[in-house]
PDB file of all heavy atoms in Angstrom:
ATOM      1  N   SER A1098       8.352  16.528 -12.306  1.00 97.00           N
ATOM      2  CA  SER A1098       8.256  17.435 -13.404  1.00 97.00           C
ATOM      3  C   SER A1098       8.456  16.666 -14.676  1.00 97.00           C
ATOM      4  O   SER A1098       9.385  15.854 -14.749  1.00 97.00           O
ATOM      5  CB  SER A1098       9.349  18.487 -13.289  1.00 97.00           C
ATOM      6  OG  SER A1098       9.185  19.316 -12.170  1.00 97.00           O
ATOM      7  N   ILE A1099       7.554  16.888 -15.632  1.00 97.00           N
ATOM      8  CA  ILE A1099       7.758  16.265 -17.015  1.00 97.00           C
ATOM      9  C   ILE A1099       7.917  17.450 -17.921  1.00 97.00           C
ATOM     10  O   ILE A1099       7.124  18.279 -18.084  1.00 97.00           O
ATOM     11  CB  ILE A1099       6.533  15.448 -17.341  1.00 97.00           C
ATOM     12  CG1 ILE A1099       6.305  14.347 -16.270  1.00 97.00           C
ATOM     13  CG2 ILE A1099       6.709  14.868 -18.747  1.00 97.00           C
ATOM     14  CD1 ILE A1099       5.002  13.567 -16.507  1.00 97.00           C
ATOM     15  N   ILE A1100       9.111  17.430 -18.551  1.00 97.00           N
ATOM     16  CA  ILE A1100       9.491  18.572 -19.407  1.00 97.00           C
ATOM     17  C   ILE A1100       9.863  18.023 -20.849  1.00 97.00           C
ATOM     18  O   ILE A1100      10.513  17.011 -20.952  1.00 97.00           O
ATOM     19  CB  ILE A1100      10.752  19.245 -18.878  1.00 97.00           C
ATOM     20  CG1 ILE A1100      10.376  19.706 -17.401  1.00 97.00           C
ATOM     21  CG2 ILE A1100      11.200  20.389 -19.682  1.00 97.00           C
ATOM     22  CD1 ILE A1100      11.599  20.055 -16.578  1.00 97.00           C
ATOM     23  N   THR A1101       9.380  18.781 -21.862  1.00 96.00           N
ATOM     24  CA  THR A1101       9.650  18.443 -23.235  1.00 96.00           C
ATOM     25  C   THR A1101      10.320  19.685 -23.904  1.00 96.00           C
ATOM     26  O   THR A1101      10.299  20.764 -23.287  1.00 96.00           O
ATOM     27  CB  THR A1101       8.383  18.065 -23.985  1.00 96.00           C
ATOM     28  OG1 THR A1101       7.571  19.279 -24.156  1.00 96.00           O
ATOM     29  CG2 THR A1101       7.577  17.022 -23.301  1.00 96.00           C
ATOM     30  N   PRO A1102      10.765  19.540 -25.074  1.00 95.00           N
ATOM     31  CA  PRO A1102      11.300  20.740 -25.820  1.00 95.00           C
ATOM     32  C   PRO A1102      10.207  21.870 -25.893  1.00 95.00           C
ATOM     33  O   PRO A1102      10.555  23.036 -26.049  1.00 95.00           O
ATOM     34  CB  PRO A1102      11.675  20.229 -27.178  1.00 95.00           C
ATOM     35  CG  PRO A1102      12.001  18.771 -26.905  1.00 95.00           C
ATOM     36  CD  PRO A1102      11.056  18.347 -25.844  1.00 95.00           C
ATOM     37  N   ASP A1103       8.959  21.493 -25.891  1.00 93.00           N
ATOM     38  CA  ASP A1103       7.886  22.457 -25.973  1.00 93.00           C
ATOM     39  C   ASP A1103       7.438  23.073 -24.657  1.00 93.00           C
ATOM     40  O   ASP A1103       6.609  23.947 -24.656  1.00 93.00           O
ATOM     41  CB  ASP A1103       6.617  21.800 -26.629  1.00 93.00           C
ATOM     42  CG  ASP A1103       6.897  21.413 -28.068  1.00 93.00           C
ATOM     43  OD1 ASP A1103       7.668  22.081 -28.792  1.00 93.00           O
ATOM     44  OD2 ASP A1103       6.319  20.351 -28.506  1.00 93.00           O
ATOM     45  N   GLY A1104       8.013  22.590 -23.568  1.00 95.00           N
ATOM     46  CA  GLY A1104       7.707  23.160 -22.265  1.00 95.00           C
ATOM     47  C   GLY A1104       7.299  22.075 -21.231  1.00 95.00           C
ATOM     48  O   GLY A1104       7.472  20.904 -21.443  1.00 95.00           O
ATOM     49  N   THR A1105       6.827  22.568 -20.075  1.00 96.00           N
ATOM     50  CA  THR A1105       6.448  21.709 -18.986  1.00 96.00           C
ATOM     51  C   THR A1105       5.103  21.129 -19.218  1.00 96.00           C
ATOM     52  O   THR A1105       4.144  21.846 -19.411  1.00 96.00           O
ATOM     53  CB  THR A1105       6.491  22.459 -17.664  1.00 96.00           C
ATOM     54  OG1 THR A1105       7.813  22.950 -17.456  1.00 96.00           O
ATOM     55  CG2 THR A1105       6.191  21.547 -16.502  1.00 96.00           C
ATOM     56  N   VAL A1106       4.954  19.776 -19.175  1.00 95.00           N
ATOM     57  CA  VAL A1106       3.696  19.054 -19.409  1.00 95.00           C
ATOM     58  C   VAL A1106       3.034  18.789 -17.996  1.00 95.00           C
ATOM     59  O   VAL A1106       1.812  18.790 -17.944  1.00 95.00           O
ATOM     60  CB  VAL A1106       4.018  17.766 -20.125  1.00 95.00           C
ATOM     61  CG1 VAL A1106       2.699  16.869 -20.237  1.00 95.00           C
ATOM     62  CG2 VAL A1106       4.534  18.048 -21.495  1.00 95.00           C
ATOM     63  N   TYR A1107       3.845  18.508 -16.969  1.00 95.00           N
ATOM     64  CA  TYR A1107       3.318  18.227 -15.664  1.00 95.00           C
ATOM     65  C   TYR A1107       4.285  18.671 -14.624  1.00 95.00           C
ATOM     66  O   TYR A1107       5.519  18.562 -14.794  1.00 95.00           O
ATOM     67  CB  TYR A1107       3.113  16.659 -15.534  1.00 95.00           C
ATOM     68  CG  TYR A1107       2.546  16.249 -14.274  1.00 95.00           C
ATOM     69  CD1 TYR A1107       1.124  16.144 -14.144  1.00 95.00           C
ATOM     70  CD2 TYR A1107       3.308  15.881 -13.192  1.00 95.00           C
ATOM     71  CE1 TYR A1107       0.586  15.737 -12.919  1.00 95.00           C
ATOM     72  CE2 TYR A1107       2.779  15.442 -12.002  1.00 95.00           C
ATOM     73  CZ  TYR A1107       1.394  15.389 -11.836  1.00 95.00           C
ATOM     74  OH  TYR A1107       0.810  14.982 -10.703  1.00 95.00           O
ATOM     75  N   VAL A1116       7.451   4.475 -14.708  1.00 95.00           N
ATOM     76  CA  VAL A1116       7.963   4.840 -16.008  1.00 95.00           C
ATOM     77  C   VAL A1116       8.342   3.539 -16.786  1.00 95.00           C
ATOM     78  O   VAL A1116       8.430   2.467 -16.201  1.00 95.00           O
ATOM     79  CB  VAL A1116       9.232   5.703 -15.890  1.00 95.00           C
ATOM     80  CG1 VAL A1116       8.920   7.084 -15.223  1.00 95.00           C
ATOM     81  CG2 VAL A1116      10.334   5.033 -15.116  1.00 95.00           C
ATOM     82  N   ALA A1134      17.658   6.945 -15.587  1.00 95.00           N
ATOM     83  CA  ALA A1134      17.313   5.832 -16.486  1.00 95.00           C
ATOM     84  C   ALA A1134      16.719   6.451 -17.812  1.00 95.00           C
ATOM     85  O   ALA A1134      16.044   7.387 -17.750  1.00 95.00           O
ATOM     86  CB  ALA A1134      16.283   4.930 -15.811  1.00 95.00           C
ATOM     87  N   SER A1135      17.082   5.738 -18.905  1.00 96.00           N
ATOM     88  CA  SER A1135      16.438   6.131 -20.183  1.00 96.00           C
ATOM     89  C   SER A1135      15.068   5.557 -20.307  1.00 96.00           C
ATOM     90  O   SER A1135      14.766   4.484 -19.818  1.00 96.00           O
ATOM     91  CB  SER A1135      17.383   5.690 -21.349  1.00 96.00           C
ATOM     92  OG  SER A1135      17.439   4.234 -21.397  1.00 96.00           O
ATOM     93  N   LEU A1136      14.247   6.331 -20.958  1.00 96.00           N
ATOM     94  CA  LEU A1136      12.822   5.932 -21.180  1.00 96.00           C
ATOM     95  C   LEU A1136      12.632   5.544 -22.589  1.00 96.00           C
ATOM     96  O   LEU A1136      13.282   6.095 -23.549  1.00 96.00           O
ATOM     97  CB  LEU A1136      11.946   7.137 -20.823  1.00 96.00           C
ATOM     98  CG  LEU A1136      12.000   7.677 -19.419  1.00 96.00           C
ATOM     99  CD1 LEU A1136      11.123   8.894 -19.291  1.00 96.00           C
ATOM    100  CD2 LEU A1136      11.727   6.639 -18.388  1.00 96.00           C
ATOM    101  N   THR A1137      11.740   4.581 -22.803  1.00 95.00           N
ATOM    102  CA  THR A1137      11.354   4.191 -24.171  1.00 95.00           C
ATOM    103  C   THR A1137       9.921   4.781 -24.428  1.00 95.00           C
ATOM    104  O   THR A1137       9.395   5.419 -23.584  1.00 95.00           O
ATOM    105  CB  THR A1137      11.326   2.720 -24.202  1.00 95.00           C
ATOM    106  OG1 THR A1137      10.330   2.151 -23.343  1.00 95.00           O
ATOM    107  CG2 THR A1137      12.660   2.092 -23.986  1.00 95.00           C
ATOM    108  N   ILE A1138       9.476   4.530 -25.590  1.00 95.00           N
ATOM    109  CA  ILE A1138       8.068   4.905 -25.922  1.00 95.00           C
ATOM    110  C   ILE A1138       7.144   4.049 -25.076  1.00 95.00           C
ATOM    111  O   ILE A1138       7.268   2.848 -25.039  1.00 95.00           O
ATOM    112  CB  ILE A1138       7.779   4.610 -27.446  1.00 95.00           C
ATOM    113  CG1 ILE A1138       8.660   5.518 -28.285  1.00 95.00           C
ATOM    114  CG2 ILE A1138       6.291   4.803 -27.751  1.00 95.00           C
ATOM    115  CD1 ILE A1138       8.609   5.107 -29.774  1.00 95.00           C
ATOM    116  N   GLY A1139       6.381   4.740 -24.222  1.00 94.00           N
ATOM    117  CA  GLY A1139       5.479   3.989 -23.370  1.00 94.00           C
ATOM    118  C   GLY A1139       4.650   4.923 -22.496  1.00 94.00           C
ATOM    119  O   GLY A1139       4.660   6.123 -22.679  1.00 94.00           O
ATOM    120  N   LEU A1141       3.589   6.627 -18.929  1.00 95.00           N
ATOM    121  CA  LEU A1141       4.113   7.064 -17.626  1.00 95.00           C
ATOM    122  C   LEU A1141       2.884   7.249 -16.754  1.00 95.00           C
ATOM    123  O   LEU A1141       1.897   7.887 -17.218  1.00 95.00           O
ATOM    124  CB  LEU A1141       4.905   8.349 -17.814  1.00 95.00           C
ATOM    125  CG  LEU A1141       5.538   8.959 -16.587  1.00 95.00           C
ATOM    126  CD1 LEU A1141       6.833   9.641 -17.008  1.00 95.00           C
ATOM    127  CD2 LEU A1141       4.651   9.896 -15.904  1.00 95.00           C
ATOM    128  N   VAL A1155       0.349   9.594 -18.954  1.00 96.00           N
ATOM    129  CA  VAL A1155       1.074  10.369 -19.911  1.00 96.00           C
ATOM    130  C   VAL A1155       1.634   9.451 -21.003  1.00 96.00           C
ATOM    131  O   VAL A1155       2.340   8.513 -20.637  1.00 96.00           O
ATOM    132  CB  VAL A1155       2.172  11.189 -19.213  1.00 96.00           C
ATOM    133  CG1 VAL A1155       2.828  12.152 -20.216  1.00 96.00           C
ATOM    134  CG2 VAL A1155       1.654  11.938 -17.993  1.00 96.00           C
ATOM    135  N   ALA A1156       1.479   9.786 -22.239  1.00 96.00           N
ATOM    136  CA  ALA A1156       2.126   9.113 -23.318  1.00 96.00           C
ATOM    137  C   ALA A1156       3.460   9.766 -23.516  1.00 96.00           C
ATOM    138  O   ALA A1156       3.607  10.964 -23.809  1.00 96.00           O
ATOM    139  CB  ALA A1156       1.313   9.179 -24.579  1.00 96.00           C
ATOM    140  N   VAL A1157       4.552   8.956 -23.298  1.00 96.00           N
ATOM    141  CA  VAL A1157       5.925   9.505 -23.409  1.00 96.00           C
ATOM    142  C   VAL A1157       6.640   8.857 -24.580  1.00 96.00           C
ATOM    143  O   VAL A1157       6.540   7.628 -24.761  1.00 96.00           O
ATOM    144  CB  VAL A1157       6.690   9.284 -22.086  1.00 96.00           C
ATOM    145  CG1 VAL A1157       8.140   9.707 -22.195  1.00 96.00           C
ATOM    146  CG2 VAL A1157       6.039  10.034 -20.952  1.00 96.00           C
ATOM    147  N   ASN A1158       7.352   9.628 -25.335  1.00 93.00           N
ATOM    148  CA  ASN A1158       8.071   9.126 -26.509  1.00 93.00           C
ATOM    149  C   ASN A1158       9.630   9.268 -26.361  1.00 93.00           C
ATOM    150  O   ASN A1158      10.224  10.038 -26.994  1.00 93.00           O
ATOM    151  CB  ASN A1158       7.617   9.815 -27.741  1.00 93.00           C
ATOM    152  CG  ASN A1158       6.230   9.485 -28.102  1.00 93.00           C
ATOM    153  OD1 ASN A1158       5.795   8.325 -27.993  1.00 93.00           O
ATOM    154  ND2 ASN A1158       5.449  10.456 -28.544  1.00 93.00           N
ATOM    155  N   GLY A1159      10.118   8.533 -25.368  1.00 92.00           N
ATOM    156  CA  GLY A1159      11.587   8.484 -25.174  1.00 92.00           C
ATOM    157  C   GLY A1159      12.019   9.647 -24.271  1.00 92.00           C
ATOM    158  O   GLY A1159      11.226  10.554 -23.956  1.00 92.00           O
ATOM    159  N   GLY A1160      13.281   9.575 -23.854  1.00 95.00           N
ATOM    160  CA  GLY A1160      13.866  10.590 -22.986  1.00 95.00           C
ATOM    161  C   GLY A1160      14.554   9.859 -21.820  1.00 95.00           C
ATOM    162  O   GLY A1160      15.021   8.756 -21.926  1.00 95.00           O
ATOM    163  N   TYR A1161      14.524  10.555 -20.658  1.00 96.00           N
ATOM    164  CA  TYR A1161      15.119   9.939 -19.452  1.00 96.00           C
ATOM    165  C   TYR A1161      14.450  10.495 -18.215  1.00 96.00           C
ATOM    166  O   TYR A1161      13.768  11.568 -18.248  1.00 96.00           O
ATOM    167  CB  TYR A1161      16.626  10.151 -19.417  1.00 96.00           C
ATOM    168  CG  TYR A1161      17.078  11.564 -19.188  1.00 96.00           C
ATOM    169  CD1 TYR A1161      17.351  12.035 -17.876  1.00 96.00           C
ATOM    170  CD2 TYR A1161      17.297  12.441 -20.195  1.00 96.00           C
ATOM    171  CE1 TYR A1161      17.793  13.322 -17.655  1.00 96.00           C
ATOM    172  CE2 TYR A1161      17.715  13.696 -20.042  1.00 96.00           C
ATOM    173  CZ  TYR A1161      18.001  14.166 -18.705  1.00 96.00           C
ATOM    174  OH  TYR A1161      18.399  15.449 -18.511  1.00 96.00           O
ATOM    175  N   VAL A1162      14.652   9.778 -17.091  1.00 96.00           N
ATOM    176  CA  VAL A1162      14.209  10.234 -15.764  1.00 96.00           C
ATOM    177  C   VAL A1162      15.376  10.388 -14.907  1.00 96.00           C
ATOM    178  O   VAL A1162      16.278   9.471 -14.902  1.00 96.00           O
ATOM    179  CB  VAL A1162      13.099   9.249 -15.212  1.00 96.00           C
ATOM    180  CG1 VAL A1162      13.629   7.944 -15.007  1.00 96.00           C
ATOM    181  CG2 VAL A1162      12.605   9.850 -13.875  1.00 96.00           C
ATOM    182  N   LYS A1163      15.401  11.448 -14.151  1.00 97.00           N
ATOM    183  CA  LYS A1163      16.485  11.675 -13.159  1.00 97.00           C
ATOM    184  C   LYS A1163      15.789  11.836 -11.803  1.00 97.00           C
ATOM    185  O   LYS A1163      14.857  12.629 -11.728  1.00 97.00           O
ATOM    186  CB  LYS A1163      17.279  12.931 -13.483  1.00 97.00           C
ATOM    187  CG  LYS A1163      18.409  13.249 -12.498  1.00 97.00           C
ATOM    188  CD  LYS A1163      19.232  14.414 -12.988  1.00 97.00           C
ATOM    189  CE  LYS A1163      18.584  15.723 -12.570  1.00 97.00           C
ATOM    190  NZ  LYS A1163      19.340  16.887 -12.819  1.00 97.00           N
ATOM    191  N   GLU A1170      12.604  14.226 -12.290  1.00 97.00           N
ATOM    192  CA  GLU A1170      12.575  15.098 -13.471  1.00 97.00           C
ATOM    193  C   GLU A1170      12.601  14.190 -14.674  1.00 97.00           C
ATOM    194  O   GLU A1170      13.526  13.414 -14.878  1.00 97.00           O
ATOM    195  CB  GLU A1170      13.757  16.072 -13.469  1.00 97.00           C
ATOM    196  CG  GLU A1170      13.660  17.018 -14.615  1.00 97.00           C
ATOM    197  CD  GLU A1170      14.765  18.107 -14.495  1.00 97.00           C
ATOM    198  OE1 GLU A1170      15.966  17.688 -14.533  1.00 97.00           O
ATOM    199  OE2 GLU A1170      14.466  19.270 -14.329  1.00 97.00           O
ATOM    200  N   VAL A1171      11.484  14.242 -15.439  1.00 97.00           N
ATOM    201  CA  VAL A1171      11.397  13.527 -16.671  1.00 97.00           C
ATOM    202  C   VAL A1171      11.684  14.459 -17.833  1.00 97.00           C
ATOM    203  O   VAL A1171      10.965  15.447 -18.023  1.00 97.00           O
ATOM    204  CB  VAL A1171      10.018  12.825 -16.838  1.00 97.00           C
ATOM    205  CG1 VAL A1171       9.885  12.158 -18.212  1.00 97.00           C
ATOM    206  CG2 VAL A1171       9.766  11.883 -15.733  1.00 97.00           C
ATOM    207  N   ILE A1172      12.743  14.188 -18.584  1.00 97.00           N
ATOM    208  CA  ILE A1172      12.987  14.960 -19.788  1.00 97.00           C
ATOM    209  C   ILE A1172      12.619  14.091 -20.978  1.00 97.00           C
ATOM    210  O   ILE A1172      13.306  13.095 -21.212  1.00 97.00           O
ATOM    211  CB  ILE A1172      14.512  15.353 -19.842  1.00 97.00           C
ATOM    212  CG1 ILE A1172      14.943  16.068 -18.580  1.00 97.00           C
ATOM    213  CG2 ILE A1172      14.799  16.193 -21.126  1.00 97.00           C
ATOM    214  CD1 ILE A1172      14.266  17.372 -18.274  1.00 97.00           C
ATOM    215  N   ALA A1173      11.512  14.414 -21.641  1.00 95.00           N
ATOM    216  CA  ALA A1173      11.015  13.554 -22.731  1.00 95.00           C
ATOM    217  C   ALA A1173      11.102  14.233 -24.053  1.00 95.00           C
ATOM    218  O   ALA A1173      11.021  15.464 -24.200  1.00 95.00           O
ATOM    219  CB  ALA A1173       9.511  13.241 -22.400  1.00 95.00           C
ATOM    220  N   ASP A1174      11.287  13.384 -25.088  1.00 91.00           N
ATOM    221  CA  ASP A1174      11.325  13.869 -26.446  1.00 91.00           C
ATOM    222  C   ASP A1174      10.006  14.539 -26.750  1.00 91.00           C
ATOM    223  O   ASP A1174       9.914  15.623 -27.353  1.00 91.00           O
ATOM    224  CB  ASP A1174      11.613  12.739 -27.416  1.00 91.00           C
ATOM    225  CG  ASP A1174      12.935  12.142 -27.177  1.00 91.00           C
ATOM    226  OD1 ASP A1174      13.827  12.772 -26.635  1.00 91.00           O
ATOM    227  OD2 ASP A1174      13.095  10.938 -27.588  1.00 91.00           O
ATOM    228  N   SER A1175       8.882  13.887 -26.269  1.00 93.00           N
ATOM    229  CA  SER A1175       7.588  14.453 -26.331  1.00 93.00           C
ATOM    230  C   SER A1175       6.716  13.735 -25.241  1.00 93.00           C
ATOM    231  O   SER A1175       7.016  12.603 -24.933  1.00 93.00           O
ATOM    232  CB  SER A1175       6.912  14.353 -27.707  1.00 93.00           C
ATOM    233  OG  SER A1175       6.613  12.977 -28.034  1.00 93.00           O
ATOM    234  N   ALA A1176       5.738  14.417 -24.736  1.00 95.00           N
ATOM    235  CA  ALA A1176       4.885  13.815 -23.707  1.00 95.00           C
ATOM    236  C   ALA A1176       3.494  14.428 -23.849  1.00 95.00           C
ATOM    237  O   ALA A1176       3.398  15.653 -24.061  1.00 95.00           O
ATOM    238  CB  ALA A1176       5.458  13.999 -22.339  1.00 95.00           C
ATOM    239  N   GLU A1177       2.500  13.640 -23.656  1.00 95.00           N
ATOM    240  CA  GLU A1177       1.107  14.124 -23.794  1.00 95.00           C
ATOM    241  C   GLU A1177       0.245  13.584 -22.708  1.00 95.00           C
ATOM    242  O   GLU A1177       0.111  12.343 -22.569  1.00 95.00           O
ATOM    243  CB  GLU A1177       0.601  13.750 -25.205  1.00 95.00           C
ATOM    244  CG  GLU A1177      -0.572  14.534 -25.680  1.00 95.00           C
ATOM    245  CD  GLU A1177      -0.823  14.238 -27.193  1.00 95.00           C
ATOM    246  OE1 GLU A1177      -0.170  13.449 -27.828  1.00 95.00           O
ATOM    247  OE2 GLU A1177      -1.851  14.859 -27.635  1.00 95.00           O
ATOM    248  N   ARG A1219       4.754   5.201 -31.668  1.00 94.00           N
ATOM    249  CA  ARG A1219       4.299   6.405 -30.988  1.00 94.00           C
ATOM    250  C   ARG A1219       2.741   6.534 -31.134  1.00 94.00           C
ATOM    251  O   ARG A1219       2.111   6.914 -30.106  1.00 94.00           O
ATOM    252  CB  ARG A1219       5.028   7.647 -31.524  1.00 94.00           C
ATOM    253  CG  ARG A1219       6.418   7.720 -31.182  1.00 94.00           C
ATOM    254  CD  ARG A1219       7.113   8.916 -31.796  1.00 94.00           C
ATOM    255  NE  ARG A1219       8.444   9.063 -31.265  1.00 94.00           N
ATOM    256  CZ  ARG A1219       9.285  10.019 -31.643  1.00 94.00           C
ATOM    257  NH1 ARG A1219       8.895  10.964 -32.477  1.00 94.00           N
ATOM    258  NH2 ARG A1219      10.461  10.093 -31.154  1.00 94.00           N
TER     259      ARG A1219
END
Side-chain angles (χ1 to χ4, degrees):
S1098 297
I1099 302 172
I1100 302 163
T1101 71
D1103 295 327
T1105 300
V1106 173
Y1107 183 88
V1116 297
S1135 63
L1136 303 177
T1137 59
I1138 295 171
L1141 182 148
V1155 185
V1157 174
N1158 293 319
Y1161 70 92
V1162 60
K1163 181 174 82 171
E1170 186 174 61
V1171 174
I1172 306 297
D1174 298 337
S1175 67
E1177 198 169 1
R1219 288 179 175 179

